[in-house]
Every structure is written in structure tokens, then in C-alpha cells.
Amino acid sequence: MPTENELFSAVDALLEEVAQDDLPTPEERKRLREAAGLSQEQIAKALKSRRETIGNWESGETEPRPPKRAAYARLLEGLAARFPAPAADAPAATPASVIPEAFTGPAPETTPAPAPAVVPPSRPKAAASSTTRPATSSRRPGAKKAAKTTTAAAADSRFENGPLAVIDCEDGQVSAYCIGGLVLDVPAKTIPALVDWTLAEAKLGQARLHRNGRDADPILVLTASALERYALPATLSEEERHASRLRDSHKVVKQIGKAGLQLTQRGLGPWARVFREPEGSRRRCVQLCILPWNALDTREWGRKDDPELLLTMHPADLVQYLGLYAARVMTPRGSTATTGLELMTALRPPTRAEKNPATGEFERAYNEDALTQLYPVVPCEVPDEHPILKGQFARHHMRTPAEMLMEEPYDWCRPLTDEECANPYLVVVDINMSFAAAANGLTVGLNGPTHLIGNPAFDPALPGSWLVDLSHVDLSRVRVNGRTVDGSRLPSPFTPKGETPEGPAWYVTPTVAYAVELGFDVAPIEAYVRTQSGRYLDSWYKRLRDAYVETMADMGVTSDLTGQEFLEAMARRKRVDPTMALLETAIKATAKGAIGKLRQRSRGQVPYYEPYPALERVNWRPDIRAAVLANQRTGLHRKLLKTAAAADLYPVAIGTDAIVYPSPGPSPLDVLPHTPEGKPAPGTFRLGVSPGMVKHQGTQTVLWAEQQFEERGSVFNISNLIKTDQSAVEGE
């Protein structure tokens, strides 16, 4: 029989495990310590730790681990009971520069402290193409409180009906379909009345994702029948589609103005914000998502093989789909790319409320871990049409690597050797959420650039851009884990096309740091670096990772599956739950699109070299995009090296994150290296559901590849043509 001490030790171990997710936010940890009048040194002494460690816990750079985590959790719990957060700690208004793109409406709401995100009580059981009203729907008058079997959804009574509603009209009755099968009767007969009803009675919205952020505005998704009911056109004219807004002379736009409501500068388009002036700290804004005007792009939100799916989906199914996206990612703000970019700001708000000790009033303070303002740009980091380049180059000049960053994903292919042609198959593995995974743990610059000249020494701790010559780096014979790798059969890690650099070129810190990691000397000529840095994208990555993994689990793809079980679950996942399949696509598009939007280019809104709207965003940061892409490419090359060292296995093509390997069999299990115990070889590609692991994209025959090379040339990239799953998206 176990002794009493052994039992107590086992219980203590369980308590430590329970405490793993029981810590307040880093900001709250600091507040509690300061409220108690304790120093970091005092806490470090009590926990037998270092003062710097406590500082890292309070900044979020690191997290406490057992057994100190449980003790730290107990300390914070005791301090929270004695020093609760004051209800008056309301953040000041967010500056206009961080409000969603082109939004010039009212100031953000300043209600206190975050409430839990709205979580739908259940996901829809019907297929996405269902056209009948679900039997579980319950209809309630809009002004009455709905009785719902909700769990976390009712945590914030302000938003008890969820983050959004689908507005539909049937037999003259306008209905608002909410999450969980709830259907509200809508008495409003005009768009202004609909907006006012939403603000006063609908109880829609979503609590902020960070205590210093702001709550999400309610969203109304208008179907075709709703447009007809509210006198809006079923489609926009060609001129209106080009402007992405209804003409200002339309009667509905005039109705909005006469009712005292306002539209943002974007007008009444597929995604429109309609608002009244705020009442004190209360924001009064509703966002309209107009389905028939292509508000939800099929390439991001739907299925490419069924472009009418979102228009024909039953409102109850549609609201469950979008409600799950809102609960796991955030309330949609437009395209998935725009939403992904807004998620960065929502998780890292630029400002917070800080009490002035002299006046006792709360004032706006900037958060050091966020992007807070516009800074001067660097010529080598901006795209060709940027105003800073005006007059610097001749017309139609193609900038060279010595004049601009060319940090992009791989697009590389090589001919097969005779030995490789002896294999019957080409197997493609694709990295899950590769751009999001590359953002995890990445240190990026948060302030403006500092120009270093005169051959500065390379510092891997300084994010930025370095002009350096890497043409001397010879990877033809590289030692990895004690074995020699033929690097000539691999792409260069320094260029997207896999070619060896020919001279000085601009690279971001992760690329230069990888050259140093491989054992080569680097001698920068000049640099633009950011002295204030942080892991800005960590919380963004974790939010998307959790959303992706949870959605995949809903389709039966979990982290505990063996290799063959994983492949089988991936093959059938979209048949298990069509709604979850849509959600998977939307989450992946959110991650990929947001990284691209960090360097959004002009869409032809203005002449070349003239300022365009995206440049007004504080998170228009091409240097951060370049750092993520460089980290993705060099991280991929690192795994290529280790795979070659472990199994003498070399790829023949790479397209973004799809890697093509010659294989004796049609499955990834036939080609990916394993240890004698049957586990993936350390550092190589590993099958699994988590971001950074790989899945099977497709298989083709070597004979097919040879035919493609014959028809299109030996440098034609075959990687993204090999897709067993034709709905696979390039880069994801």
C-alpha cells in the first residue's frame, strides 16, 4: 500500500498540472505584484528563482514551469483575492491609426476588462448545403430574452445571442438566425431601423480578446431575400463593383443619412460599417456583411468546386459556421486576410489605460509589446510602387537583390537523376500552416529603423535588413549530425529560386543568422535594424494554432493518431463534417493572408508612387512579413538537410511549402525517414496535425513528371500540380 507521503506527493503533482492553465495574463501578474507593493526580487526570493525570471513571466517572454508554476499560481490567486481589478480601469480610446482599415467611425468602446469570447453551444449537424429549417431552431421576439442551452456563451450578458446573426426574409417575416439554433423576429422595416434594433435589443457582439482591446461590433449577414426586403439591389452595377460600394445617390444610403447614422469612408459596400456617435464610452456600430455582393469570397470562405454554396446555405447553418470562426479566431472583419491582420491588433493592443499618480486620472499609454505608430520606411524593404522610391530608378527598372529584399518562399525544381528515376512515385508532403508556424517564437522589430553603415558587425538579436555578400557560402558538402550531405542537390537557403547568390544582397536577420548557423562568416556592408523588438506574433500564432487543431479534431484528425491512422483521417475528414471543412479553409486563409497583408501592395487605387490607403496602417510592416517568410524558408532548408543526412533523401521540387520526394511507394510512410523504433528521425519532416508538421498532399508517377518536363521544360515546378486533394490551397 502507498504511504501517506506518497499519496500527498501524487496529489501535489496533480495540482501542479491543474495550475498549468490557471495563470492570469502577464499584464495582470505585474498589476497584482505592484498592487501588493512587492518587488520582483521579493517574489524571486520566495520562489527560489531569479529576479530576471520573474520579469520574463510578467512580460510574457517565458512562462513558469512546474513545480514553481503551481506556487506562482497560488501567490497570484491570493493577491487577486486581496487586490481585485478595479472596475474603472477602462482603456482610453484607440487611436485612429489602429482602427480597422479605412475605418473613420466612432472611437472604440472603453468598457472594462475582457469577457470570455462567445463560444457556440454546438456545431451544426446538418450538411452545409442544407436548405430546410433545423428542427432545433427556437423563435423568440427580438425584444425578449432568449432561453438558450449555452455554456460559455452566456458569460457576458451583453452578447448573450452571439457575435453575429444572419438576416433572412421568408413569407414577409424578417428573422435573425443566431448561434445555437436561436431565431429572433426582426421588427425593423428599413436598414436604419435594423441597425438601431441591433444596437438596442439584439444582444450581439463579442468580448474583447485582450483586456486593453475593444469589444467586436455585432455583424449582420444579409442574404438575398434580406436585400430585397430592405430595398437593396441584388447585385452591384459594374461601376459600383469597381468602386466596391453602392452609389451615394441610392435611396438606402440617403435613408441612413436622414436617420442620423453614418457610414465610413468605404461607404455601403460588401462590408459596411454603420454607426451612431458613441454615448460616452459606449461604441454604437454595426457591421453589415452582404452575401450577394461577394462579401465572403468563395476562395477563402467557401469551396472552389461549389461557388454558390454560401449563397444557398441555410441561414442556420451559415450562422453556425461563421459563429464558430468568430469563437475560435475572432469576429470576421472583411476578408480572411483583413481579419487575420486585425487579430494581431486585437491580441496586441497598441494602448492601455494608465493612472496618472499626480492627477488620479486614467491616461493613454503605449504598450511596449505592440505596434503603436507609423515609422519611416526603408527603401530596400518596400515594393516597387512605394512613394519613397519616386525618382530613384529609371522607368520599368527591375530592382536587383542589392536594391531590395527578395525574401520569398521557395519556388524551385530540378531534373531527376537516373537513380531517382528508378523510383516509381513522386510523393508530396505539405507543411501545415507553414507561415503561422514560422511566426511562432520569431523576434521582430517594433520601432523604427536605425541605419548602420561602415561594415557593422552582424547581431542576430537585432531584427532588420542587412546588405551582405553570401555568394561565398558553399553548401555542396555540408556536415550534419556527423554525416556529409550533398548540398548541390538542395536549393540554396538564401534565394527563393534556390540559386546561389551572385554578390551583395539584402537579407533579413533570420537568413543571415542561418548562414552563421551553418558555420560561415558574414560581413555586412550596411544595415537597417530595429532596436526595440519582441515576439509580437506569438499570441497570434497560438490563437490560430488552437483554432486549427480544434477544428481538425472535430473532423477526427487528432494529435494522438499514428502515421497510417493520420493519413486515413485526413483523407476522410471533409466527408465527416462539411462545415468544419469550410472552417479549416478559412483558418488557413486567415494565417496566410494576414502575413501577406503586412506588405499589402497598391490595388491600382492611386497612380504609381502615390500614397495608397494600406500605408496608413501601423501594421503595414514589410520587414515583419520578410522575416516570417525568411524564417519559413530557412526552417524548411534546415529540415531538408537533416532529412538528407538521416536517409540520403533529396527533394526534386519545392513550391512554397510543398516538398516533392522520389519514393518507392505511393505513401509518405514509404519515404519519410524513421528511427529503428519506428519514430520520425529527429529534425526531419513528421506527419501530424500541428502547425509545422506535414500532411500528404498527393502522389504522382515519375513517368508523369518526365512527361511534364518534356512538354514544359526541365525547370518547370511540378510541386503544386501533384494534388490528390484538389481543394488543397497553395502555400497551406
Side-chain angles (χ1 to χ4, degrees), residues 406-621:
M406 293 189 177
E407 299 282 18
E408 300 292 338
Y410 272 130
D411 180 10
W412 169 83
C413 189
R414 66 170 175 83
L416 279 73
T417 65
D418 291 342
E419 182 183 356
E420 289 167 341
C421 286
N423 289 283
Y425 297 102
L426 294 176
V427 172
V428 185
V429 292
D430 176 81
I431 301 175
N432 300 325
M433 303 267 290
S434 66
F435 296 144
N440 182 34
L442 179 66
T443 300
V444 300
L446 300 177
N447 63 344
T450 298
H451 192 192
L452 306 179
I453 56 176
N455 303 106
F458 174 68
D459 185 349
L462 285 177
S465 301
W466 307 79
L467 182 62
V468 60
D469 189 350
L470 298 179
S471 59
H472 66 285
V473 176
D474 182 10
L475 297 178
S476 59
R477 309 294 289 177
V478 183
R479 296 287 292 178
V480 180
N481 297 334
R483 300 185 63 178
T484 301
V485 172
D486 181 5
S488 64
R489 295 168 67 183
L490 296 174
S492 166
F494 308 124
T495 60
K497 292 292 184 181
E499 302 163 345
T500 301
E502 296 181 351
W506 285 101
Y507 305 98
V508 289
T509 299
T511 301
V512 185
Y514 187 57
V516 174
E517 177 187 327
L518 292 172
F520 296 93
D521 294 328
V522 296
I525 301 168
E526 65 174 307
Y528 292 91
V529 299
R530 276 82 180 175
T531 55
Q532 179 187 340
S533 61
R535 292 164 60 165
Y536 173 74
L537 295 171
D538 273 12
S539 55
W540 177 84
Y541 160 76
K542 290 174 184 175
R543 179 83 176 175
L544 290 172
R545 174 202 63 193
D546 292 348
Y548 177 74
V549 171
E550 186 177 358
T551 300
M552 297 301 285
D554 284 340
M555 293 186 286
V557 185
T558 57
S559 59
D560 59 348
L561 299 177
T562 63
Q564 187 58 40
E565 290 172 342
F566 171 75
L567 293 175
E568 292 172 357
M570 286 293 293
R572 64 173 178 265
R573 73 188 191 281
K574 295 189 177 183
R575 300 191 300 273
V576 170
D577 193 324
T579 301
M580 292 300 109
L582 294 178
L583 189 56
E584 176 198 349
T585 300
I587 292 170
K588 292 193 295 187
T590 301
K592 181 181 179 182
I595 297 300
K597 211 168 177 65
L598 288 168
R599 195 198 69 160
Q600 181 176 327
R601 306 193 64 170
S602 173
R603 298 171 179 171
Q605 309 105 308
V606 297
Y608 223 62
Y609 297 132
E610 293 298 320
Y612 52 93
L615 303 183
E616 299 172 5
R617 296 196 311 254
V618 296
N619 51 9
W620 190 85
R621 289 294 299 269

Side-chain angles (χ1 to χ4, degrees), residues 217-221 271-274 285-289 331-334:
D217 298 324
I219 291 200
L220 301 180
V221 182
W271 286 90
R273 291 184 181 271
V274 189
C285 182
V286 174
Q287 188 162 3
L288 303 180
C289 168
T331 302
R333 302 288 179 87

Side-chain angles (χ1 to χ4, degrees), residues 343-367:
L343 181 62
M344 296 180 189
T345 301
L347 295 170
R348 299 280 194 187
T351 61
R352 69 181 187 279
E354 188 171 83
K355 183 178 286 188
N356 187 323
T359 64
E361 298 292 330
F362 283 96
E363 299 176 352
R364 184 174 67 183
Y366 288 100
N367 292 318

